[in-house]
Amino acid sequence: GLKARYLRANEQGQKWLVRIYPKEQLWQTEALASFVRDIRTVDADVTGVPVQHFESTSQLGHSYRTVALYAIAIIAVILLYEFLRPGQKLLTILPPIAITAFIGYTMFKRSGEVNPHTLVLIGLGLLTFIAAVLDYRNLRDTLIAMLPAIGGGAVLVGSMAAMSIPLNPVNMIVLPLLLGIGVDNGVHVVHDYRRQVARGADYAPSADTITGVIFASLTSIVGFGSLMIAAHQGLFSLGICMAVGIAGCLATSLIPLPALLAIVAKHQPPVMTPIRARKPDEEETTSKPA
């Protein structure tokens, strides 16, 4: 029975099982990658728990990066569609979609494969360019609304580096969750700004908006922060990363974002009226006395 664990004999011959033990801690990402790379120089088809763990972690990281890219693309399109003036919504959204679809069809006909990442980047680039040409002020508001998510992500990454908390298969879920929470705060603040500017007033954050953002963020911090009492290290890191990331999004929404919007409202107020075609004699007709 002991010999059968290491030897497999059949009509093709004998195969012996060789077990290789690492000298470093494989729970460290760099050590695991180095170990798998070294043993694959001897046998490319080597298998085992370290190889499976390395491949699953790599696939998981790739999947989360893909999800983040697609989420950013969809959020940007939705926000831009909402902020654009009525006369420019379809003119800005439909041409990039049509061009991207044609490029994807051409790529498939030539090589039989389609890289969705490339198509998403091409679509976002075309969308940004057309929006910048037609209505750069509302494109600016779209980018500003995503500022809390960017600020919260920067605070999270810096805090994780300071506390020596690495990304692992459990706390990677923080990235798409933090993106949604940060964008949500930014949308509320930007809508408050646009509402005040549309009335012709100088921008100052309203109490209702600030209170709503604070309470929504605090409830999320308390909810996810409760995971920090878990004995499982993955859940602990998930709780602390979510609490720190949401706090970073909240701080960005309350401090730099309103200040930036106040400067924008003072020096370059956006035009929010719909585009309408004016008849040539409309102004002359309305200006003549009865």
Side-chain angles (χ1 to χ4, degrees):
L2 181 62
K3 181 180 178 181
R5 297 182 183 182
Y6 298 92
L7 174 63
R8 182 172 64 184
N10 50 33
E11 56 274 7
Q12 282 81 23
Q14 295 181 345
K15 290 186 178 181
W16 289 89
L17 172 65
V18 178
R19 287 187 174 179
I20 305 172
Y21 295 91
K23 64 179 181 178
E24 297 179 350
Q25 179 58 255
L26 291 186
W27 291 112
Q28 302 296 328
T29 306
E30 296 79 8
L32 177 62
S34 177
F35 177 71
V36 173
R37 183 172 57 251
D38 291 342
I39 60 177
R40 280 179 171 173
T41 59
V42 179
D43 186 359
D45 297 327
V46 67
T47 185
V49 175
V51 178
Q52 296 170 0
H53 179 63
F54 174 76
E55 290 295 338
S56 62
T57 304
S58 302
Q59 289 295 327
L60 190 61
H62 174 73
S63 299
Y64 274 112
R65 287 191 295 270
T66 303
V67 168
L69 174 63
Y70 291 168
I72 291 174
I74 295 174
I75 290 172
V77 172
I78 293 175
L79 290 180
L80 187 60
Y81 184 83
E82 181 182 1
F83 289 151
L84 285 172
R85 289 180 285 176
Q88 295 174 342
K89 292 181 183 291
L90 296 180
L91 185 61
T92 305
I93 301 296
L94 291 182
I97 294 178
I99 295 174
T100 304
F102 175 76
I103 293 176
Y105 176 77
T106 304
M107 293 171 58
F108 180 77
K109 283 296 185 181
R110 288 186 175 182
S111 61
E113 297 180 356
V114 177
N115 189 343
H117 299 357
T118 303
L119 294 181
V120 170
L121 293 177
I122 291 175
L124 280 180
L126 292 173
L127 185 66
T128 303
F129 176 76
I130 295 176
V133 173
L134 296 181
D135 197 352
Y136 72 95
R137 292 176 178 176
N138 288 301
L139 174 62
R140 174 202 62 201
D141 291 349
T142 301
L143 298 177
I144 291 177
M146 302 182 72
L147 183 62
I150 299 174
V155 171
L156 173 62
V157 172
S159 301
M160 292 178 66
M163 294 183 290
S164 299
I165 300 177
L167 279 175
N168 55 55
V170 177
N171 63 26
M172 279 185 181
I173 197 175
V174 169
L175 303 179
L177 290 176
L178 196 64
L179 176 63
I181 294 174
V183 171
D184 186 53
N185 291 349
V187 168
H188 288 309
V189 176
V190 171
H191 269 295
D192 181 43
Y193 150 78
R194 290 168 68 90
R195 185 168 56 249
Q196 294 186 33
V197 171
R199 295 199 304 261
D202 294 333
Y203 175 66
S206 63
D208 294 340
T209 300
I210 296 302
T211 302
V213 170
I214 290 176
F215 275 96
S217 299
L218 289 180
T219 53
S220 299
I221 291 175
V222 173
F224 286 105
S226 62
L227 295 175
M228 287 189 288
I229 65 175
H232 190 277
Q233 291 300 309
L235 294 178
F236 169 79
S237 64
L238 173 62
I240 193 171
C241 289
M242 283 299 299
V244 171
I246 296 173
C249 293
L250 177 61
T252 307
S253 303
L254 298 181
I255 301 175
L257 182 59
L260 177 62
L261 290 174
I263 296 174
V264 170
K266 181 178 179 181
H267 296 282
Q268 196 177 13
V271 178
M272 301 181 186
T273 56
I275 297 178
R276 294 181 300 176
R278 185 178 66 85
K279 296 180 180 180
D281 58 342
E282 180 180 352
E283 184 177 353
E284 298 176 0
T285 303
T286 56
S287 62
K288 290 182 180 179

